[in-house]
Amino acid sequence: MLKKYQFILLLLIGILSFSSCISTKKTTYLQENNKTLDSIIQIQQLKKPYRIQTGDLLSIRVKALDQELVGMFNPVGELNSSATTEERVYFDGFTVDDHGNIRVPTLGAVNVLGYTEREVREKIEKLLLENYFKEEANIFVTVKLAGIRYTTLGEIGTGSQVIYKEKVTIMEAVANAGGINEFGDMEHVKIIRQYPYGEEIHTIDLTSIDATKSEYYYIQPNDLILVNALPQKALGFGSTGLEVFRTAVTILSFVTTTILLFSRI
């Protein structure tokens, strides 16, 4: 009788073991295919420029031959060397309000909703020359997003992250958050992206090299990167064959002991 139970139990554990082990194909980033790397790099450069949305934070600097003339346009926080980058950006940046405007000294409200960084720079330069400076001042305006801010959730280091670069790939974003753990579903990574009309959910497969061709390979400000758990996590057997074997042996020993105790009663 005991051997019969042991056989059935071993059979069930064997079936579960095959289904609970996580294949290396599910845990390896950007697996290659037969396509050349050069063609992939060319496709990456087709990323469309980001268009500014409400809630974005812009860093704007104005320079001229006479710096005293442009002092009012530049952040006071630059003089505080003890302030962190985050603090400077928060207090000295220009936040896009719910109407798509930023407030610039002398110029007042300037609408930037839907503009690219270059278009905002050109617009501010034009307004300054029309209302404040002359051509001889040789003003030089720079406009940048104050870092790319995003959030990670699920089987990945969770929390809000900031990367101070103009372009950030999802691979950089994942690495910056600490990577996806062994139970994360890398084949169906979700990106919840903000648009003027609402949110959309996009999916990208980080196990395939073709991910570099995706229009979602580059993240955008305010993206939420969600990594759900694989079914193996719910089973609780482990992620490797050795872990599954150890768990199976433990279960078998426990059940065998229980059956022996009840058979003696």
Side-chain angles (χ1 to χ4, degrees):
M1 185 71 174
L2 178 60
K3 289 183 178 180
K4 180 181 178 181
Y5 280 117
Q6 286 179 328
F7 174 77
I8 295 172
L9 186 60
L10 281 171
L11 182 61
L12 290 173
I13 290 174
I15 295 171
L16 286 174
S17 296
F18 280 111
S19 61
S20 61
C21 286
I22 301 176
S23 169
T24 55
K25 288 185 177 181
K26 293 181 177 290
T27 58
T28 303
Y29 291 103
L30 304 180
Q31 297 167 57
E32 295 184 19
N33 53 27
N34 296 326
K35 297 180 181 179
T36 62
L37 186 61
D38 289 341
S39 63
I40 294 171
I41 292 175
Q42 290 172 3
I43 293 170
Q44 289 178 3
Q45 301 307 314
L46 297 177
K47 174 184 177 288
K48 296 179 181 179
Y50 175 71
R51 296 195 172 274
I52 293 165
Q53 302 179 39
T54 58
D56 283 346
L57 191 60
L58 299 179
S59 173
I60 300 175
R61 301 289 186 273
V62 182
K63 296 181 180 180
L65 292 176
D66 186 351
Q67 279 300 109
E68 291 185 3
L69 291 176
V70 296
M72 72 173 69
F73 298 100
N74 294 319
V76 178
E78 288 187 336
L79 301 176
N80 183 5
S81 60
S82 63
T84 65
T85 303
E86 288 274 356
E87 290 170 343
R88 291 182 186 180
V89 168
Y90 179 77
F91 290 107
D92 298 328
F94 295 82
T95 303
V96 183
D97 64 23
D98 292 339
H99 302 287
N101 298 325
I102 57 173
R103 290 187 57 81
V104 181
T106 300
L107 301 180
V110 177
N111 189 271
V112 297
L113 184 65
Y115 286 71
T116 64
E117 291 175 337
R118 188 184 73 177
E119 290 169 347
V120 174
R121 172 179 60 78
E122 292 172 348
K123 184 173 186 177
I124 291 176
E125 282 180 350
K126 182 180 178 182
L127 290 172
L128 288 175
L129 288 173
E130 289 176 350
N131 299 281
Y132 196 81
F133 295 103
K134 295 181 179 180
E135 291 285 351
E136 292 77 13
N138 288 326
I139 63 169
F140 182 80
V141 179
T142 58
V143 177
K144 292 183 179 295
L145 281 167
I148 295 183
R149 299 160 188 272
Y150 65 98
T151 303
T152 51
L153 191 64
E155 302 301 312
I156 185 176
T158 58
S160 296
Q161 320 283 340
V162 182
I163 299 180
Y164 292 98
K165 290 179 63 178
E166 292 186 0
K167 292 181 179 181
V168 177
T169 69
I170 191 170
M171 298 303 298
E172 291 176 288
V174 167
N176 187 62
I180 299 173
N181 67 40
E182 66 270 24
F183 289 111
D185 185 357
M186 292 169 52
E187 293 181 330
H188 303 92
V189 175
K190 298 186 186 307
I191 300 173
I192 302 174
R193 180 159 293 175
Q194 307 291 327
Y195 294 96
Y197 50 81
E199 295 180 343
E200 280 193 18
I201 300 176
H202 309 292
T203 303
I204 186 169
D205 180 2
L206 295 186
T207 67
S208 171
I209 194 69
D210 289 335
T212 59
K213 298 192 304 179
S214 170
E215 59 183 304
Y216 312 114
Y217 186 62
Y218 285 93
I219 68 167
Q220 292 186 2
N222 306 313
D223 276 355
L224 169 61
I225 300 173
L226 175 63
V227 183
N228 289 320
L230 290 167
Q232 284 84 349
K233 182 175 183 179
L235 292 174
F237 272 81
S239 59
T240 65
L242 182 59
E243 290 176 349
V244 172
F245 177 75
R246 288 173 176 170
T247 304
V249 170
T250 302
I251 293 173
L252 180 60
S253 299
F254 172 76
V255 173
T256 301
T257 303
T258 303
I259 293 173
L260 286 171
L261 286 173
F262 276 98
S263 63
R264 293 176 180 177
I265 296 175

